[in-house]
Amino acid sequence: MSLIMSRRDLDFMLFEWLDASALTERARYADHSAETFHQVLDTCEKIATDHFAPHNKLNDQNEPQFVDGGAVVIPEVRRALEVYRDAGLVAPGQLYEYGGMQLPAVVEKACTTWFRAANIGTSAYPFLTAANLNVIAAYGEDWQKATFIPPMAEGRFFGTMCLSEPQAGSSLSDIRTRAVRQDDGTYRLFGTKMWISGGDQNISENIVHLVLARSPDDLPGVKGLSLYIVPKFLVNEDGSLGERNDVVLAGLNHKMGYRGTTNTLLNFGEGGHKPGGRAGAVGYLIGGENQGLACMFHMMNEARIGVGTGAVALGYTGYLHAVEYARTRLQGRPAAAKDPTTPQVPLTRHADVRRMLLAAKAYVEGGLALNMFCARLVDEERTADTAEARAEAHLLLDMLTPIAKSWPSQWCLEANSLAIQVHGGYGYTRDYNVEQFYRDNRLNPIHEGAHGIQGIDILGRKVAMQGGAGLRLFNATLETTIGRARAAGDEALLGFAADLDTALARLNAVTATLHGANDLERTLANATVYLEAFGHITVAWIWLEQALAAHGKAGDFYDGKRQATRYFFHWELPKVYPQLDLLEQLDDTTLEMQDAWF
């Protein structure tokens, strides 16, 4: 059994539940078959196992260094990414014309789990690059696509997203970076960006930054933001590298985990480099003036689902390590054993260890299934037969994005905590991998929109968008699953369907109460609690979907799916009712707290 990811679980989700093979009937994926999907998964598993996992601990112990004005990473990172690049994996879901394989998103997402679980630090560079490439493919001018996409798809250029600033953090309306238009149609950028993952490194030939900035005459707030392509090195017409752009690495952030990925403070236009004899970082407008946030959300939404997938991968590998340890570690005896001379038993013989492992299984397999479902929606959004079906997939994906980001970030982190607990004192030492998995995963509730921001998004925007159309579609989707479960004629499935129906009705009633208060601050004061309740109901539905896919099938794997479903409905779903009770009261305890009282 691999301790990186479960190939058996991925195959179940792709081929027994989400019917990835059926996608090959669509024009975009017609060159593929179930066999090619399996071959790509085999390749990813091998590369992740042989080239990413071996230096994961070394990456953690030897974080990037600031040397002669640049960031330097250990050589194992470059070697692993060369293998990754040579396998054509930088943008496997992209169109052939952009150097991709035109893989379905759901297969591509399954592939990424291997690399993120094997080495989250090294895998971040190509995944950021792919997201950057997707933005340029969607919004770039022809010359921008021709200049930047091929070398990124080939793995020669890497990409970043530059949003946050030291004084702004997540408050993008407070961004100060300026973009000054030049006579030749380019711009000169001046400002500072903070928390930029991959912002500098010694791996790729060039780095393509996507930078949010505002022109001096633009409107204040997010409406005045535009997006600019700002390469580290300017690119000549023949594709060769030109002068160094005026982008300077000002410092590296030293992190609790995720240490293999450089995290940077970048200065644009400080005069450290002067292409053409002028200070200012040369930038190229992409997507139109004042459309920066709309363009960047293309990358941010992809990144948010990517964060959820990364959280799942780290939680999943921690769970697999814990299962392996619990099966092989002999400790204690069953509660009924009275003779201290009898042999010790594996940890899995102890009920509380089984409780922890079952909880972790429910979290990581539920989180993985949620993200695979969202990836399948991307395929529907791209290739469904009708415009109506494509629009419906887009709407449901928009609705689920904050959950796909936040729920795994919270509960797969808890799976990592449980993995440490199963290991006991050993788990708290650096001799075992589970402590690193926890540290690496702790970032995910923070970046790409912190937990609280996702709560405000789901309650303040998503459930109300388009006159509640997204919430109605969410309801209809869950009700379809509930109907299928009732029709299956299985007593357990009937019970789960009834429980989910009750929780969904309660969520809708509370949502109406919150939005009927006509007090935005009061409504959003406890948005994080709403996010958690919404997320648990969503994952209960996902578990019911998995139980239906396993229905009537025999074997330990399917029995495990049924038991995890039972656990989630008996132990986890009931947690939402105290949360919904609290929300319905429009409690203002947190809202009324005063600064002086802390």
Side-chain angles (χ1 to χ4, degrees):
M1 181 182 74
S2 172
L3 299 186
I4 298 174
M5 274 300 298
S6 169
R7 176 60 183 276
R8 179 66 186 89
D9 202 18
L10 287 171
D11 284 348
F12 166 77
M13 292 182 188
L14 287 172
F15 303 109
E16 297 182 58
W17 174 38
L18 296 173
D19 196 13
S21 299
L23 290 168
T24 61
E25 299 173 5
R26 299 180 182 179
R28 180 172 175 137
Y29 309 126
D31 290 343
H32 293 290
S33 65
E35 182 180 359
T36 64
F37 296 160
H38 283 293
Q39 289 172 348
V40 172
L41 287 164
D42 289 343
T43 299
C44 291
E45 179 176 358
K46 182 171 177 54
I47 293 174
T49 302
D50 294 346
H51 299 279
F52 280 64
H55 72 276
N56 187 44
K57 211 167 189 66
L58 192 66
N59 226 8
D60 181 62
Q61 295 167 346
N62 298 272
E63 61 182 312
Q65 300 296 308
F66 195 129
V67 179
D68 296 330
V72 176
V73 304
I74 59 174
E76 288 81 358
V77 176
R78 178 194 290 271
R79 289 198 287 269
L81 292 176
E82 286 174 348
V83 175
Y84 184 92
R85 175 200 67 198
D86 292 344
L89 293 171
V90 175
Q94 261 296 349
L95 298 171
Y96 295 136
E97 64 185 281
Y98 296 142
M101 299 181 191
Q102 289 189 193
L103 281 177
V106 70
V107 177
E108 179 186 21
K109 193 65 69 180
C111 291
T112 69
T113 61
W114 284 103
F115 299 103
R116 295 191 173 196
N119 192 320
I120 195 74
T122 294
S123 67
Y125 297 106
F127 293 143
L128 282 166
T129 300
N132 181 303
L133 185 159
N134 290 342
V135 172
I136 296 176
Y139 298 105
E141 298 177 24
D142 289 343
W143 76 265
Q144 293 171 337
K145 295 176 184 179
T147 300
F148 297 108
I149 288 180
M152 283 201 287
E154 293 165 8
R156 295 189 295 108
F157 292 9
F158 285 175
T160 74
M161 53 190 296
C162 300
L163 288 78
S164 298
E165 298 180 2
Q167 83 291 340
S170 298
S171 180
L172 299 182
S173 62
D174 294 314
I175 282 177
R176 297 175 186 166
T177 298
R178 295 179 298 114
V180 181
R181 185 177 175 85
Q182 306 297 298
D183 293 339
D184 61 1
T186 66
Y187 289 77
R188 294 292 184 274
L189 273 71
F190 302 86
T192 299
K193 293 293 181 178
M194 183 61 151
W195 312 116
I196 309 307
S197 294
D200 198 76
Q201 33 75 10
N202 62 330
I203 309 167
S204 63
E205 297 174 20
N206 202 357
I207 303 174
V208 181
H209 303 290
L210 287 178
V211 185
L212 272 183
R214 64 177 79 251
S215 294
D217 296 330
D218 281 345
L219 297 170
V222 295
K223 293 182 179 180
L225 294 173
S226 299
L227 188 63
Y228 301 88
I229 300 173
V230 184
K232 179 178 178 178
F233 290 94
L234 302 181
V235 181
N236 298 320
E237 289 186 6
D238 63 359
S240 63
L241 296 186
E243 296 179 78
R244 172 71 185 267
N245 207 351
D246 196 1
V247 183
V248 176
L249 176 64
L252 295 174
N253 297 306
H254 301 284
K255 301 169 291 179
M256 171 181 170
Y258 230 107
R259 292 175 179 170
T261 307
T262 57
N263 191 271
T264 64
L265 174 68
L266 297 178
N267 287 340
F268 294 83
E270 71 168 13
H273 302 278
K274 298 182 179 181
R278 293 170 289 183
V282 176
Y284 312 102
L285 179 68
I286 178 172
E289 291 184 353
N290 304 134
Q291 298 301 310
L293 204 58
C295 295
M296 188 59 88
F297 260 111
H298 188 286
M299 188 173 186
M300 286 175 65
N301 284 336
E302 183 174 344
R304 284 174 175 176
I305 295 173
V307 166
T309 306
V312 166
L314 287 166
Y316 213 126
T317 190
Y319 161 68
L320 294 175
H321 279 76
V323 169
E324 175 72 8
Y325 183 82
R327 284 173 172 165
T328 56
R329 167 70 173 176
L330 302 178
Q331 185 172 316
R333 294 162 186 83
K338 304 299 182 184
D339 184 355
T341 66
T342 57
Q344 295 190 85
V345 298
L347 285 175
T348 50
R349 290 285 302 278
H350 300 292
D352 195 55
V353 173
R354 292 198 297 272
R355 174 192 64 82
M356 290 188 284
L357 292 175
L358 184 53
K361 177 182 176 71
Y363 299 151
V364 303
E365 293 183 17
L368 179 62
L370 172 62
N371 275 271
M372 291 299 103
F373 182 85
C374 287
R376 189 63 169 78
L377 286 176
V378 173
D379 290 317
E380 292 302 307
E381 183 183 24
R382 288 174 178 168
T383 66
D385 292 336
T386 67
E388 182 182 4
R390 293 192 294 272
E392 188 174 274
H394 176 83
L395 182 60
L396 185 57
L397 180 62
D398 205 17
M399 191 77 189
L400 291 176
T401 294
I403 306 300
K405 189 275 180 188
S406 62
W407 194 92
S409 297
Q410 179 178 7
W411 293 101
C412 292
L413 178 65
E414 176 61 19
N416 288 126
S417 179
L418 290 169
I420 292 173
Q421 193 73 15
V422 168
H423 280 72
Y426 287 116
Y428 197 61
T429 70
R430 295 179 187 175
D431 298 328
Y432 288 81
N433 292 326
V434 289
E435 66 86 27
Q436 181 188 341
F437 299 147
Y438 182 90
R439 287 188 290 104
D440 287 344
N441 215 350
R442 186 57 187 85
L443 175 62
N444 288 314
I446 300 171
H447 69 161
E448 305 306 339
H451 206 53
I453 289 173
Q454 304 303 323
I456 292 172
D457 184 34
I458 189 73
L459 178 57
R461 190 170 75 89
K462 294 298 174 63
V463 300
M465 65 182 176
Q466 298 181 32
L471 184 59
R472 289 193 297 273
L473 178 57
F474 175 79
N475 276 284
T477 305
L478 269 62
E479 287 164 359
T480 298
T481 303
I482 290 168
R484 287 169 49 224
R486 286 174 171 157
D490 180 90
E491 185 176 346
L493 292 175
L494 280 171
F496 301 149
D499 291 343
L500 181 57
D501 193 34
T502 300
L504 182 61
R506 187 89 177 87
L507 176 69
N508 282 302
V510 170
T511 303
T513 298
L514 290 167
H515 277 274
N518 296 318
D519 184 341
L520 185 61
E521 285 202 25
R522 193 180 182 109
T523 293
L524 296 182
N526 300 315
T528 297
V529 178
Y530 183 87
L531 173 77
E532 293 177 4
F534 201 111
H536 251 48
I537 291 169
T538 300
V539 176
W541 156 58
I542 289 291
W543 268 113
L544 184 54
E545 279 279 327
Q546 292 190 80
L548 284 165
H551 182 55
K553 299 175 182 178
D556 290 338
F557 176 83
Y558 300 109
D559 287 342
K561 286 292 183 186
R562 284 185 278 271
Q563 196 71 359
T565 305
R566 178 183 173 191
Y567 170 83
F568 204 91
F569 275 86
H570 288 183
W571 287 65
E572 296 294 330
L573 186 59
K575 292 177 180 178
V576 308
Y577 291 107
Q579 294 176 313
L580 294 172
D581 289 344
L582 174 68
L583 290 164
E584 192 171 44
Q585 296 168 22
L586 293 169
D587 184 79
D588 63 358
T589 301
T590 58
L591 184 63
E592 294 300 316
M593 182 64 182
Q594 302 297 306
D595 178 89
W597 300 347
F598 287 110

